[in-house]
Amino acid sequence: MNQMKDDLSRARAHYPARPDSLEIFLRDRDRRLRRRRVGTAAFALGISALSVAILIAAMSSPRHGPDTAGNQPVAEGPGMIVFSRWSGGEWKLFAMQPDGSGEEQITDGSRDFYAEISPDGDRIVADTELPGTDGLLVANIDGTDRATFAVGDAFDPAWSPDGTRIAFALDSGEPGCCLSLWVMNADGTALARIGDVRGSSPTWSPDGTRIAFLLSGEDFEAATRVAIMDADGSDVTPISEAGWWGEPSWSPDGSSILTSRDRGLTDADLLTIGLDGHVQVIDTLPILGRADWSPDGTHITYVSRGRVWVMAADGSGAQAITDRA
C-alpha cells in the first residue's frame, strides 16, 4: 500500500491536475445528480465566481437594490442579463448590460440561483434557501418586495408566458426517488403537480400550451431525454435520445429547444433540437453551463469555464462578457 501511495505521488507530481479539474468534476456531478441542490461549501472550494443560470430580460436598466438577482431571457428589446454567482459565502444574483458593463448585485439571499425573469421584465423567480427549509422566491427585478414560498426542495423555476404561473421541479426527498414537475400561481397559491412524469428543468412554449423538460430515467443516475408535453401534463413526447442533457430553453419563435449534451467530463455540445427531434449542433464548448436565448432569438448567452458569454444564434462572434474571479 505504501509503495502504491509513493507511485501515485510521483505520478501526480509529474502530471499535475488541470487547474479547472475540480470545476469539471463538480459540473459533471451537478448534471448527473439533478435532485441534489449543490452545496455551497463544495462549490466554494473551487468555483468562487462561477456564474450559473443566465437569462436576458427585455427592459431598460433596472433599479438595483443593495443585493438582489434573477436570470433567463424573456420579451423583445435590448435587455439585462441576470446570472448567479458565488459571492461572500453565498449564491447571489447579479444583473448587467448585454456587453457585460454595469454589473450590479440584485439579491442577497441565503442561496439564490436558477432564476428567471418574468415575461414583462418586472419580476424574478428563483430557487432560494429559506431558514430551515427550501423554496422559491418572487421579487421585483430590483430585489424589492421579496416573497418566499416554502414549497419544498424546488429548483429550475420558469414563468408561464402570461406571467401568472410558475412551473418548477421538486425533489420528493425519498431515497432513490423522485424528481417531479409542479406549477403554482405567481402568488404561491394553487400548487399542483403537472401530470405524473418524473422530470426537471421545465420551460414553457411561447404560446403557453406546452412545456419542454428533462424526462428522468428510472433513477437519479440514469440518463435523461428532452421531452415535450401539454401544459396539463398530458401527451408526453420525448424528442431526443437518452443522454446527459442540460437545461432546455424554448426558442422565442417556438420552433426549437436550446440545450446542451455532455461529451464526457470536459466538453459539451451546445445545440438546438427541433420539435421533430432534428439536432443542430451550434458549437462544442468546454465546461458548458446553462444557456438561453435573447428575447428576439438572434443571440445566445451561456456559461463556459465560469464566465458568461454571448454569441450569435448561429454560433459566430462568441465573446466573454465577464471575468473569472
Side-chain angles (χ1 to χ4, degrees):
M1 179 63 72
N2 289 335
Q3 181 62 45
M4 182 181 296
K5 290 180 179 178
D6 290 342
D7 292 342
L8 288 173
S9 296
R10 283 194 293 272
R12 182 174 57 189
H14 188 65
Y15 300 104
R18 291 175 51 158
D20 56 2
S21 58
L22 180 59
E23 184 175 329
I24 294 171
F25 167 75
L26 290 174
R27 181 202 57 80
D28 186 65
R29 182 190 65 177
D30 188 36
R31 284 281 181 81
R32 296 179 181 235
L33 302 178
R34 294 287 300 143
R35 76 181 182 91
R36 296 183 181 176
R37 289 150 56 97
V38 178
T40 54
F43 270 90
L45 293 175
I47 321 176
S48 60
L50 173 65
S51 302
V52 295
I54 48 176
L55 302 114
I56 304 177
M59 60 186 202
S60 59
S61 181
R63 302 157 301 160
H64 297 300
D67 288 319
T68 17
N71 50 1
Q72 200 159 26
V74 266
E76 294 183 2
M80 301 292 290
I81 293 178
V82 182
F83 63 100
S84 305
R85 171 180 285 148
W86 178 264
S87 175
E90 299 288 354
W91 284 107
K92 299 173 183 178
L93 295 174
F94 293 75
M96 62 185 172
Q97 297 293 333
D99 62 0
S101 64
E103 180 182 308
E104 294 189 50
Q105 182 178 326
I106 58 172
T107 68
D108 193 23
S110 176
R111 181 169 58 182
D112 297 339
F113 57 104
Y114 288 121
E116 181 167 301
I117 301 169
S118 62
D120 61 10
D122 291 339
R123 295 172 294 168
I124 58 170
V125 60
D127 172 3
T128 191
E129 185 175 279
L130 309 172
T133 185
D134 298 311
L136 297 175
L137 73 87
V138 173
N140 292 335
I141 191 65
D142 64 355
T144 60
D145 292 334
R146 175 178 173 132
T148 54
F149 306 101
V151 294
D153 194 359
F155 52 97
D156 295 344
W159 292 95
S160 63
D162 62 5
T164 63
R165 293 180 294 167
I166 298 168
F168 58 94
L170 190 64
D171 184 354
S172 71
E174 301 174 16
C177 182
C178 288
L179 290 171
S180 54
L181 298 178
W182 292 70
V183 66
M184 70 178 187
N185 291 336
D187 62 2
T189 61
L191 178 66
R193 184 170 176 178
I194 306 174
D196 58 1
V197 296
R198 297 183 181 183
S200 61
S201 303
T203 176
W204 299 78
S205 64
D207 63 5
T209 62
R210 290 180 290 178
I211 292 175
F213 65 102
L214 296 182
L215 180 64
S216 300
E218 294 183 359
D219 57 57
F220 288 119
E221 295 289 350
T224 59
R225 295 176 184 268
V226 179
I228 295 173
M229 65 181 174
D230 290 344
D232 62 2
S234 62
D235 194 21
V236 177
T237 306
I239 60 171
S240 80
E241 61 184 13
W244 306 115
W245 297 93
E247 296 90 342
S249 174
W250 211 306
S251 65
D253 65 4
S255 66
S256 64
I257 308 296
L258 176 69
T259 184
S260 61
R261 177 178 55 195
D262 281 7
R263 295 173 58 92
L265 285 175
T266 59
D267 299 321
D269 290 329
L270 181 63
L271 53 83
T272 59
I273 304 177
L275 303 190
D276 61 357
H278 175 70
V279 173
Q280 178 68 47
V281 176
I282 300 171
D283 202 352
T284 299
L285 301 163
I287 319 207
L288 182 61
R290 188 173 180 178
D292 219 321
W293 299 94
S294 65
D296 61 5
T298 62
H299 287 76
I300 292 169
T301 183
Y302 62 95
V303 170
S304 181
R305 293 190 180 277
R307 302 172 72 182
V308 179
W309 296 68
V310 171
M311 66 163 61
D314 63 3
S316 63
Q319 180 179 6
I321 59 172
T322 63
D323 295 327
R324 294 181 66 90

